[in-house]
Amino acid sequence: MDDVHLGEDLEGKDTEFTWEVKANDRAYHMQFKKKGFLCWRQKKYKSNAIHTAKYNVFSFLPLNLYEQFRRVSNLYFLFIIVLQSIPEISTLPWFTLFAPLVCLFVIRAARDLVDDIGRHRSDKIINNRPCQILRGKSFLWKKWKNLCVGDVVCLRKDSIVPADLLLLASTEPSSLCYVETADIDGETNLKFRQAPTVTHHELTSPKKMSSFQGTVTCEEPNSRMHHFVGSLEWNSRKYPLDIGNLLLRGCKIRNTDTCYGLVIYAGLDTKIMKNCGKIHLKRTKLDLMMNKLVVLIFISLVIMSTLLTLGFTFMVKEFKAKHHYMSSTQKHSEAMESFFIFWGFLILLSVMVPMAMFIIAEFIYLGNSIFINWDLNMYYEPLDMPAKARSTSLNDQLGQVQYIFSDKTGTLTQNIMTFKKCCINGCIYDSDDEHGTLRKRNPYAWNPFADGKLQFYNKELESLVQGQRDRAVQEFWRLLAICHTVMVQEKDNQLLYQAASPDEEALVTAARNFGYVFLSRTQDTITVVELGEERVYQVLAMMDFNSVRKRMSVLVRNPEGSICLYTKGADTVILERLHSKGAMEATTEEVLAAFAEQTLRTLCLAYKDVAEDAYKEWEPEHQEATLLLQNRAQALHHVYNKMEQNLQLLGATAIEDKLQDGVPETIKCLKKGNIKMWVLTGDKTETAVNIGFACQLLSENMLILEDKDINRLLENYWGENIHQRAFKMMTHHNMALVINGEFLDQLLLSLRKEPRALVQNAVVDEATQEPGVSALDFLQARRISQMWRYFGPSLATSQAVASKIRESPEVRRERAFVDLASKCQAVICCRVTPKQKALVVALVKKYQQVVTLAIGDGANDVNMIKTADIGVGLAGQEGMQAVQNSDYVLAQFCYLQRLLLVHGRWSYMRVCKFLRYFFYKTVASMMSQIWFSIFNGFSAQPLYEGWFLALFNLLYSTLPVLYIGLFEQDVTAEKSLEMPELYMAGQKDELFNYYIFMQAIAHGTITSLINFFVTILTSSDMSTMGSSSDCQSFGVLVAISSLLSVTLEVMLIVKYWTLLFVGAVVLSLSSYVVMTSLTQSLWLYRISPKTFPFLFADYNVLREPSSLLLIVLNVTLNVLPMLALRMIHRTVFKRRPKEEEEVPSEEVIVEPAMRHLRRGIPARRSSYAFSHREGYANLITQGTILRRQTHTDEFCGDTVCESPNPSEEDMPSQNKDSIFNPRKISILAKKRRQYLGKGSQEEVHPNASSSQAVEKQATIPTTTSAMSGQLPLSSSEDQAFYSAASQYTLASQPERMDVRSSLSRKSPPRWRDSASSRTSQLEVPRKKHNHTSS
């Protein structure tokens, strides 16, 4: 959609353009307030201080308590404590439960406090970063937090942008500013921003900036990273602004000495902070299930207490009838007594939800987190970085992950481009120096321009280059040195290349090391040193690349006067433009396929000689297309395509985008564990797809669906034509989705907070289709229709279910997309913003109800990390923002395999077994209280000794349970990695669910029935033999039977008996012996008979042989039947194993009718990192991007040369050196301009309203004079400067970045001679070509 139309749509919404920023006027912004919570009003314009922490000093206690009581178990315990504090119904002292609850709260609060202190420290470091703010007429060093909206800021090279700034001016030509946006969109290539032309002209000193009173009116703060619409009003005139004028917070200034900006959005209003999201309280699936189980148990306890109370009501009537003389002792009525008994039973049975279980669980989570920190197999020695569990409450959920959402740059890749191989004239040249032995001797020592960093070396190719006999080899390297948009500068007598993409830099660097050195450029010449001979090529046209053209061409005139076209691009577009295809071309195609199988990024190189007559015929067409006001891009593409025909193939290059170590193996292993992998990246589609193949996320036999295919499927998802074909058919095909941010904008409407109209009108780079593409429309339509014929009906099977629920079209479309994506083996989302990453994660969580994990290393991944159930931060090169907001920290992506398959699965298995056993042992010991109530008149009298109840879960059975939670292993770590299929148990909730819970309750109930009723049935017979049969002895027999039964059960369910486990069992039983001897001793009984009433009860029972036999009988009846049932079940299970789920294999057999379903690309792939927008070609041919010569101050006017740099006393020592200001102009240049008399070609560029302002400046020179009236020029010197710039560039020899004077000292004499022989030709070019902008 055209940007102008978008602006009109947005301007129709008055509510969107209410953000006014006045420069240098803090008081104006301070007066505005907006409605906050209730009647609280807060500042509309926020300060630049950020606060990402969850708590502060005042909110910690109430907010943490609120989060604590969101757990139903804590509410339950609080309710029981309140009941225990009432004397009439209390059966246990209130502090027996209150003290453990406080302990639990303190443990959890301390954990949350430690995490939040880390966030406060991070915020403090960021808020205290230094920056230069305009105060009065000079720039002073202040902290980031002191910035306010409307302030003017000075930034230096390599500085991080502190807020969203409107670029006012810079020391670069035309006030360009180069930024790196790795933290925003994952791309490390440089992007340029440009100041509005009016501020570039006017704001040339701190004095002028301090008097700057412009007003910016723009849209309210929002999260759209690639969109900005506004206007600058200054001196009663308005100038349009767009995203090309904005420096976003988090960007890094590159290759720009100094720039100046006006703060538009500050602090939490900046676009990157709007994308960061809020901190969410993360709860595991088991934690949420425990909430439901606590409610279920409480309801069960209420029902049981009600039934026991009814029993008491009937029994008390019968009791009073038989014992009427006891009625005088009753203080309350029967109804009141029943009411008290009900609450007494509820308190007595409250131990069915044991507090000890939650306390022990905290120690188990802590212990498993420590094991992650201690794992040496996840320690990365180069960075001295171990794995770290920053959250201790999510360990078990690591064993249930089903979806991984990963960033690409810095997470899967190292973002290092290496020239790996090349093919020239059908011959493959691989590196002879894979192990780096030759590089130690510097094989390129013969070349003084070699940088010594090229890892590629081939002896045969080197000899061909130096021999200069093979023209194909010469043209191959000449093309790499000429056909690019790389800029060059000199630093420490070395050439430094600045490229728009890392691929281009790798190619130019490779040519440099092989003797074809790109030395310098002007707007219409490029200088190359070819094996010591300096050659100046006249650039006739630069045909820039984009994601549609997939190629770049340069038309040059060589020093001999002949014209040649050099083209590089994707094989799919180069091979179809060849003059002829012979054996060499066929061989190159095979080589490309081989390179693609090795996941290398390939690029085809071709050239052709252009006749002078053909050029003269083509050049007017090119000039005419350049001057068009409408459909200029389409016309230029047509003209370019006409020239780029009948090419001669030179060969191909292969570049490796290095993956992190072990990435393919890790992804392959995780896929075997039924974990789906989604890659969410801000990078280009070609780059992301190539990385998908490189890391084996994608394969050549995959069916890859793109935006159009998906839209077709989604449109027919809810169609009326429903067939009886199962949706399972989809899983038989190995499928993947590749989508972009524009597609997600249209999809994620229900989850976004922006107005729907803004999302629908979002800026979309609608690229012009290539000529001839329409010929494929029929095949594309046939392919899509066939896809729907096979997959559409099965996709529509869910219609009947969803139609019953009245959903909006947006929700149904989202549900359809998630259903489709869930059947794919991989999903790659390209060109997505940080907020879109989070919305994709939220979308899957909303419709799939699965455990998600997000992993990334930059600030652009923070929102995604916060949104996912588990966030993993990589300690990478993009800062520590991801680490500071993550739950787990790793140094390498490959460690994710061990984190999930080993630690995650172990933690899940341990916690599940711990919960199952704890519920079992609690029911097995405490259900006897209910059976005892039947025999004691439902009087709520305890069966056990009070100290046994208090210490049973705390001491007598704690250590074996703690051992299970910390050290239990079903298989070793090596086996876990060898058999990833074991991980599926956690995804299916097989180890703990409602069925397992009911099994534990039933098992515990059976154990309690055996212990109680066997004892009570045999007690009468035992009394006849002289054994004691009193109530205390009976309670002791049941207690010992229960303790030994649950202890033997834990011994049976543990996989391995270790010395540690045996020691835990022995210590637990020994603690019972010691504590019982103590609590039943005579001296404690004398001190407090009511507190220690069981005097020698255990001693009296255990000295009777019949009692010992009864205990053995109870334990045997509990253990042997269960052991037999488990053996029978295991035997049957082995004979009839479960059918394994069908997982799509890599080798998919596709029916003949399905052939058109495959992705419409050949086996080879070209994934050169094409730009999303046009590159630097227009800026180069215009001369805007090129630096101009500096002159001494004696030639400068006072107005122009007044440097806007801070005073020396305000600057740090490293910035006190004089800064090169390319906007200075000499009188000599002005006189030369007047002498040449080219007044009609003034280079005054009004700022355009769309994001293509730079392109318009470069390609419409005839329209500038008509519009120049809108631009007031401050002085005649400024007018002379901007009118002289273009011609001065052509005429002045030092205009280009000439470094020969510094580098020629290293060169042999023949290099110097050849250089000097060409000097005179650089003074005034022989011909000025009309294709470039004046």
Side-chain angles (χ1 to χ4, degrees):
M1 181 174 292
D2 191 81
D3 295 340
V4 177
H5 295 165
L6 174 63
E8 293 172 354
D9 292 340
L10 292 179
E11 287 173 1
K13 293 182 173 292
D14 297 335
T15 56
E16 290 303 313
F17 283 82
T18 58
W19 193 262
E20 288 191 1
V21 177
K22 286 192 175 182
N24 298 310
D25 193 349
R26 286 196 171 193
Y28 173 78
H29 304 107
M30 294 291 290
Q31 64 184 344
F32 289 96
K33 305 286 184 180
K34 66 178 182 179
K35 186 178 180 180
F37 180 70
L38 298 178
C39 15
W40 182 268
R41 297 185 66 81
Q42 56 185 356
K43 295 180 181 178
K44 177 181 179 180
Y45 299 92
K46 293 182 173 62
S47 69
N48 200 47
I50 62 169
H51 306 282
T52 61
K54 189 189 300 185
Y55 311 110
N56 56 39
V57 176
F58 302 102
S59 67
F60 174 72
L61 188 59
L63 189 56
N64 190 261
L65 285 176
Y66 166 73
E67 292 178 351
Q68 296 277 18
F69 282 111
R70 288 182 64 182
R71 300 173 186 266
V72 179
S73 59
N74 291 340
L75 289 174
Y76 170 78
F77 292 135
L78 181 64
F79 176 69
I80 297 299
I81 290 172
V82 172
L83 293 180
Q84 286 183 341
S85 63
I86 303 174
E88 286 80 2
I89 62 175
S90 178
T91 56
L92 294 172
W94 64 270
F95 55 82
T96 59
L97 196 58
F98 180 77
L101 183 63
V102 171
C103 179
L104 182 63
F105 279 6
V106 169
I107 292 174
R108 288 174 174 168
R111 180 191 64 199
D112 295 339
L113 182 62
V114 170
D115 291 342
D116 211 55
I117 288 175
R119 298 189 190 99
H120 276 285
R121 290 174 178 171
S122 172
D123 291 346
K124 185 177 180 181
I125 293 173
I126 294 174
N127 290 332
N128 289 331
R129 285 176 177 170
C131 67
Q132 288 180 286
I133 307 175
L134 184 63
R135 288 287 185 269
K137 297 182 179 180
S138 62
F139 285 90
L140 303 180
W141 286 97
K142 300 290 184 181
K143 298 178 179 179
W144 276 24
K145 64 182 179 182
N146 301 129
L147 265 180
C148 292
V149 173
D151 286 349
V152 177
V153 182
C154 173
L155 298 175
R156 308 286 177 179
K157 184 179 178 181
D158 296 329
S159 298
I160 299 175
V161 180
D164 289 351
L165 310 177
L166 170 64
L167 181 61
L168 297 177
S170 79
T171 55
E172 292 296 305
S174 301
S175 283
L176 291 173
C177 180
Y178 301 95
V179 294
E180 182 183 283
T181 59
D183 272 1
I184 294 177
D185 56 16
E187 295 184 25
T188 55
N189 54 297
L190 298 183
K191 299 178 179 62
F192 65 86
R193 298 290 183 261
Q194 189 169 21
T197 313
V198 60
T199 60
H200 164 64
H201 282 300
E202 297 291 339
L203 303 181
T204 56
S205 67
K207 181 179 179 181
K208 292 184 177 182
M209 289 188 181
S210 63
S211 61
F212 176 53
Q213 297 297 323
T215 300
V216 174
T217 304
C218 59
E219 55 193 7
E220 291 283 327
N222 58 71
S223 62
R224 285 165 286 149
M225 302 293 298
H226 304 294
H227 180 259
F228 175 77
V229 175
S231 64
L232 170 64
E233 184 175 357
W234 187 26
N235 296 332
S236 302
R237 298 196 179 189
K238 282 190 176 182
Y239 308 92
L241 304 174
D242 58 27
I243 192 64
N245 308 122
L246 205 63
L247 299 177
L248 299 182
R249 178 187 176 112
C251 294
K252 187 171 287 188
I253 306 298
R254 296 292 194 191
N255 302 335
T256 303
D257 292 327
T258 309
C259 65
Y260 305 89
L262 172 68
V263 178
I264 304 297
Y265 305 122
L268 298 177
D269 285 336
T270 57
K271 290 183 177 292
I272 187 65
M273 295 307 297
K274 285 286 184 182
N275 276 275
C276 280
K278 297 181 179 179
I279 299 175
H280 304 284
L281 177 63
K282 297 186 177 182
R283 308 283 295 276
T284 66
K285 290 177 70 175
L286 289 178
D287 194 10
L288 296 174
M289 185 180 178
M290 284 300 301
N291 282 344
K292 299 175 183 177
L293 290 181
V294 169
V295 173
L296 180 63
I297 293 174
F298 179 72
I299 294 174
S300 303
L301 294 183
V302 171
I303 294 174
M304 285 190 289
S305 299
T306 303
L307 294 177
L308 293 173
T309 302
L310 291 176
F312 170 79
T313 303
F314 291 113
M315 289 293 294
V316 75
K317 290 180 179 178
E318 183 181 352
F319 181 80
K320 287 185 177 181
K322 291 183 179 179
H323 307 280
H324 57 87
Y325 52 87
M326 296 290 293
S327 59
S328 58
T329 60
Q330 300 295 328
K331 298 180 181 179
H332 305 287
S333 63
E334 295 179 6
M336 186 59 67
E337 287 287 344
S338 299
F339 178 77
F340 289 155
I341 285 294
F342 170 81
W343 295 111
F345 273 121
L346 196 61
I347 294 173
L348 186 65
L349 298 177
S350 64
V351 291
M352 297 293 284
V353 184
M355 172 70 71
M357 181 175 70
F358 295 94
I359 297 177
I360 295 174
E362 291 297 322
F363 287 102
I364 289 175
Y365 283 126
L366 178 63
N368 283 294
S369 299
I370 293 174
F371 294 153
I372 293 175
N373 300 343
W374 288 352
D375 192 343
L376 292 178
N377 291 312
M378 294 195 294
Y379 171 73
Y380 189 59
E381 188 173 358
L383 294 179
D384 189 26
M385 176 68 65
K388 183 179 180 182
R390 299 183 75 250
S391 174
T392 59
S393 59
L394 302 175
N395 298 330
D396 58 289
Q397 193 141 270
L398 287 172
Q400 298 179 281
V401 173
Q402 289 175 261
Y403 283 82
I404 293 178
F405 299 90
S406 174
D407 180 38
K408 181 189 74 69
T409 306
T411 303
L412 299 178
T413 68
Q414 302 179 35
N415 203 38
I416 299 175
M417 304 299 169
T418 306
F419 189 90
K420 200 70 175 176
K421 300 178 181 180
C422 64
C423 173
I424 306 177
N425 204 20
C427 298
I428 301 177
Y429 298 97
D430 203 345
S431 179
D432 299 335
D433 190 28
E434 290 293 337
H435 302 290
T437 55
L438 293 175
R439 287 198 300 275
K440 296 178 181 179
R441 302 198 302 265
N442 190 11
Y444 299 106
W446 55 271
N447 180 5
F449 288 94
D451 62 356
K453 298 178 182 179
L454 183 65
Q455 299 179 9
F456 174 85
Y457 177 76
N458 185 281
K459 181 66 176 178
E460 180 184 358
L461 182 58
E462 183 188 39
S463 62
L464 288 175
V465 170
Q466 291 180 328
Q468 304 185 41
R469 293 185 299 271
D470 192 329
R471 188 189 175 188
V473 173
Q474 290 178 308
E475 296 292 347
F476 180 91
W477 293 110
R478 184 177 292 131
L479 186 151
L480 293 181
I482 292 176
C483 186
H484 56 76
T485 59
V486 174
M487 301 301 296
V488 62
Q489 69 177 8
E490 177 195 2
K491 185 176 182 181
D492 299 331
N493 293 333
Q494 290 291 329
L495 295 175
L496 292 182
Y497 292 145
Q498 305 159 14
S501 70
D503 297 61
E504 210 164 44
E505 183 180 356
L507 294 173
V508 177
T509 302
R512 166 185 177 175
N513 282 273
F514 272 89
Y516 287 75
V517 185
F518 164 54
L519 194 63
S520 60
R521 77 181 333 138
T522 67
Q523 68 187 67
D524 63 348
T525 64
I526 183 169
T527 304
V528 179
V529 175
E530 298 180 1
L531 299 176
E533 178 186 0
E534 182 177 319
R535 295 169 61 86
V536 179
Y537 293 85
Q538 193 173 12
V539 179
L540 304 179
M542 290 189 73
M543 309 170 198
D544 208 352
F545 58 72
N546 57 32
S547 57
V548 176
R549 280 175 43 79
K550 291 184 169 62
R551 63 188 181 276
M552 176 191 177
S553 299
V554 176
L555 189 65
V556 298
R557 187 187 300 274
N558 61 25
E560 290 76 25
S562 59
I563 301 175
C564 190
L565 176 75
Y566 294 105
T567 303
K568 65 181 180 183
D571 48 29
T572 53
V573 295
I574 297 296
L575 295 178
E576 65 185 18
R577 288 169 170 78
L578 298 180
H579 174 67
S580 62
K581 293 187 178 181
M584 190 271 285
E585 286 77 11
T587 302
T588 303
E589 287 197 56
E590 295 177 1
V591 170
L592 288 169
F595 286 169
E597 290 178 0
Q598 301 169 35
T599 67
L600 299 175
R601 303 169 66 154
T602 58
L603 195 68
C604 279
L605 311 183
Y607 82 109
K608 77 170 182 177
D609 294 319
V610 180
E612 190 72 30
D613 294 339
Y615 169 70
K616 289 181 179 179
E617 180 183 349
W618 176 85
E619 204 275 338
E621 297 181 15
H622 177 238
Q623 179 69 15
E624 181 182 353
T626 305
L627 298 177
L628 288 178
L629 296 179
Q630 294 182 348
N631 300 322
R632 188 189 316 116
Q634 292 91 325
L636 284 174
H637 287 172
H638 177 74
V639 173
Y640 292 165
N641 187 66
K642 185 177 179 180
M643 174 60 71
E644 296 165 330
Q645 300 294 332
N646 299 320
L647 303 176
Q648 181 177 343
L649 185 65
L650 287 172
T653 61
I655 292 178
E656 180 185 28
D657 187 359
K658 284 192 174 181
L659 296 172
Q660 288 193 11
D661 296 335
V663 168
E665 296 79 7
T666 300
I667 292 178
K668 184 177 181 180
C669 188
L670 294 176
K671 288 172 70 176
K672 289 182 179 179
N674 196 36
I675 300 176
K676 298 184 184 298
M677 184 85 174
W678 290 32
V679 176
L680 312 179
T681 177
D683 216 334
K684 312 163 189 66
T685 301
E686 293 85 356
T687 308
V689 169
N690 179 263
I691 294 301
F693 281 101
C695 64
Q696 300 180 14
L697 189 63
L698 303 177
S699 59
E700 291 290 355
N701 58 2
M702 265 190 177
L703 169 62
I704 300 179
L705 305 182
E706 296 179 346
D707 297 351
K708 293 182 179 179
D709 309 331
I710 300 169
N711 278 325
R712 174 64 176 166
L713 288 173
L714 297 185
E715 287 170 4
N716 293 275
Y717 186 88
W718 306 103
E720 297 179 358
N721 185 17
I722 302 177
H723 298 276
Q724 300 298 324
R725 301 190 63 182
F727 188 69
K728 188 177 180 181
M729 176 186 175
M730 181 78 79
T731 62
H732 287 290
H733 297 275
N734 209 8
M735 296 186 1
L737 301 185
V738 178
I739 56 181
N740 57 34
E742 288 82 7
F743 174 84
L744 292 175
D745 265 336
Q746 302 300 320
L747 177 71
L748 303 172
L749 292 177
S750 72
L751 294 176
R752 294 181 67 98
K753 294 183 179 180
E754 282 81 1
R756 184 178 304 172
L758 296 184
V759 179
Q760 292 174 343
N761 292 330
V763 178
V764 179
D765 297 330
E766 292 187 356
T768 307
Q769 291 295 329
E770 282 288 302
V773 173
S774 59
L776 299 177
D777 289 346
F778 172 75
L779 294 177
Q780 178 74 4
R782 179 182 175 186
R783 174 167 163 256
I784 295 175
S785 63
Q786 272 199 325
M787 186 182 307
W788 171 246
R789 185 185 306 167
Y790 280 91
F791 292 152
S794 59
L795 277 169
T797 54
S798 302
Q799 177 196 7
V801 177
S803 61
K804 297 178 182 179
I805 306 173
R806 294 183 179 179
E807 295 176 335
S808 65
E810 293 86 359
V811 172
R812 289 200 285 176
R813 183 177 173 85
E814 290 172 359
R815 186 186 299 277
F817 171 76
V818 175
D819 286 346
L820 174 63
S822 64
K823 303 302 175 184
C824 296
Q825 298 303 301
V827 177
I828 297 179
C829 302
C830 314
R831 291 296 286 159
V832 292
T833 64
K835 187 167 187 178
Q836 283 178 328
K837 290 184 178 183
L839 290 177
V840 170
V841 177
L843 186 72
V844 174
K845 289 174 63 177
K846 179 179 178 181
Y847 295 108
Q848 286 291 315
Q849 304 296 324
V850 294
V851 177
T852 59
L853 181 146
I855 180 169
D857 70 324
N860 58 321
D861 305 314
V862 169
N863 201 352
M864 174 178 70
I865 287 173
K866 290 180 178 178
T867 305
D869 296 307
I870 301 171
V872 178
L874 289 188
Q877 300 177 355
E878 296 184 17
M880 301 295 288
Q881 294 93 331
V883 168
Q884 291 159 356
N885 290 275
S886 64
D887 304 306
Y888 297 89
V889 180
L890 300 177
Q892 292 281 288
F893 180 85
C894 61
Y895 296 154
L896 187 63
Q897 176 182 357
R898 186 172 181 88
L899 181 68
L900 296 183
L901 301 185
V902 178
H903 292 282
R905 202 183 68 82
W906 278 352
S907 297
Y908 172 73
M909 180 267 299
R910 290 164 179 169
V911 172
C912 289
K913 188 172 286 190
F914 157 76
L915 291 176
R916 184 200 180 283
Y917 176 72
F918 215 106
F919 279 119
Y920 158 74
K921 76 183 186 69
T922 301
V923 172
S925 57
M926 299 308 162
M927 279 291 284
S928 299
Q929 296 276 10
I930 298 176
W931 316 137
F932 184 59
S933 299
I934 301 174
F935 295 90
N936 64 13
F938 301 97
S939 59
Q941 177 186 353
L943 169 65
Y944 302 120
E945 179 188 8
W947 289 102
F948 179 83
L949 289 174
L951 298 176
F952 177 76
N953 282 324
L954 191 62
L955 191 60
Y956 299 159
S957 59
T958 299
L959 292 180
V961 174
L962 196 60
Y963 175 88
I964 289 178
L966 291 177
F967 304 107
E968 174 68 340
Q969 292 182 15
D970 52 352
V971 295
T972 62
E974 291 74 17
K975 287 292 183 182
S976 296
L977 296 174
E978 291 173 7
M979 297 183 292
E981 296 81 6
L982 297 174
Y983 189 82
M984 297 182 190
Q987 297 172 339
K988 301 174 184 176
D989 299 324
E990 289 183 356
L991 300 186
F992 191 79
N993 48 47
Y994 290 105
Y995 177 70
I996 298 292
F997 171 74
M998 295 308 297
Q999 274 189 340
I1001 298 299
H1003 187 192
T1005 302
I1006 294 172
T1007 301
S1008 65
L1009 285 171
I1010 292 174
N1011 289 334
F1012 183 84
F1013 285 101
V1014 170
T1015 303
I1016 203 169
L1017 289 175
T1018 56
S1019 59
S1020 58
D1021 296 333
M1022 291 172 57
S1023 61
T1024 59
M1025 295 184 293
S1027 299
S1028 56
S1029 59
D1030 58 285
C1031 183
Q1032 288 187 352
S1033 300
F1034 177 78
V1036 166
L1037 284 173
V1038 176
I1040 295 177
S1041 298
S1042 300
L1043 179 60
L1044 292 179
S1045 296
V1046 299
T1047 302
L1048 278 177
E1049 174 66 16
V1050 75
M1051 296 175 69
L1052 292 177
I1053 64 174
V1054 168
K1055 292 292 183 180
Y1056 301 99
W1057 286 5
T1058 63
L1059 290 176
L1060 188 61
F1061 172 71
V1062 173
V1065 172
V1066 171
L1067 284 177
S1068 295
L1069 295 179
S1070 300
S1071 66
Y1072 173 78
V1073 174
V1074 173
M1075 293 305 299
T1076 302
S1077 302
L1078 187 62
T1079 58
Q1080 296 179 5
S1081 61
L1082 179 61
W1083 66 277
L1084 286 178
Y1085 176 78
R1086 290 175 176 174
I1087 295 173
S1088 179
K1090 291 184 178 180
T1091 307
F1092 305 97
F1094 279 61
L1095 179 61
F1096 296 126
D1098 278 58
Y1099 175 76
N1100 292 331
V1101 169
L1102 295 177
R1103 69 178 183 175
E1104 300 291 340
S1106 58
S1107 299
L1108 296 176
L1109 289 175
L1110 176 60
I1111 293 172
V1112 172
L1113 176 63
N1114 287 339
V1115 174
T1116 303
L1117 291 176
N1118 283 320
V1119 173
L1120 289 184
M1122 291 305 302
L1123 185 60
L1125 283 175
R1126 286 171 181 163
M1127 294 300 297
I1128 294 172
H1129 179 266
R1130 187 169 299 177
T1131 303
V1132 174
F1133 179 78
K1134 282 186 177 180
R1135 289 182 179 178
R1136 292 165 40 181
K1138 292 183 180 179
E1139 296 182 1
E1140 296 183 358
E1141 288 191 356
E1142 296 182 5
V1143 179
S1145 61
E1146 290 296 325
E1147 299 297 330
V1148 180
I1149 302 175
V1150 183
E1151 302 172 10
M1154 302 283 289
R1155 292 179 61 185
H1156 291 286
L1157 292 175
R1158 293 201 174 279
R1159 187 168 183 255
I1161 58 172
R1164 61 182 183 276
R1165 294 185 310 279
S1166 181
S1167 6
Y1168 180 66
F1170 297 106
S1171 292
H1172 305 299
R1173 301 175 181 268
E1174 300 291 335
Y1176 294 160
N1178 287 327
L1179 298 177
I1180 292 172
T1181 55
Q1182 176 196 7
T1184 305
I1185 200 171
L1186 301 173
R1187 289 182 177 270
R1188 298 177 173 82
Q1189 183 185 15
T1190 57
H1191 300 274
T1192 58
D1193 292 340
E1194 60 181 336
F1195 296 108
C1196 298
D1198 297 335
T1199 304
V1200 178
C1201 289
E1202 189 173 359
S1203 174
N1205 296 334
S1207 59
E1208 290 187 1
E1209 60 185 4
D1210 296 330
M1211 294 176 57
S1213 58
Q1214 64 268 26
N1215 293 329
K1216 289 183 179 181
D1217 299 334
S1218 61
I1219 297 176
F1220 167 65
N1221 191 342
R1223 284 157 54 184
K1224 297 179 180 178
I1225 180 68
S1226 66
I1227 297 176
L1228 176 62
K1230 300 174 190 174
K1231 290 182 177 179
R1232 180 178 296 172
R1233 175 70 184 88
Q1234 296 169 0
Y1235 173 77
L1236 293 173
K1238 302 292 186 180
S1240 62
Q1241 298 182 359
E1242 295 181 357
E1243 186 177 336
V1244 179
H1245 302 294
N1247 192 21
S1249 61
S1250 70
S1251 61
Q1252 298 177 352
V1254 178
E1255 178 182 346
K1256 292 184 178 180
Q1257 293 171 12
T1259 58
I1260 317 179
T1262 60
T1263 62
T1264 55
S1265 59
M1267 301 174 65
S1268 60
Q1270 301 177 4
L1271 181 62
L1273 298 180
S1274 60
S1275 65
S1276 59
E1277 290 182 350
D1278 289 333
Q1279 294 178 4
F1281 171 71
Y1282 284 101
S1283 61
S1286 179
Q1287 199 58 268
Y1288 169 62
T1289 303
L1290 287 173
S1292 175
Q1293 181 265 340
E1295 185 60 32
R1296 54 189 169 83
M1297 210 55 182
D1298 200 341
V1299 295
R1300 289 172 294 159
S1301 58
S1302 60
L1303 295 177
S1304 59
R1305 301 186 185 97
K1306 303 178 183 179
S1307 308
R1310 64 186 182 93
W1311 289 53
R1312 289 196 297 270
D1313 294 340
S1314 61
S1316 60
S1317 65
R1318 304 300 305 170
T1319 303
S1320 61
Q1321 296 187 19
L1322 298 178
E1323 293 297 334
V1324 180
R1326 290 171 294 182
K1327 179 180 179 181
K1328 176 171 173 48
H1329 297 279
N1330 295 329
H1331 71 279
T1332 57
S1333 170
S1334 62

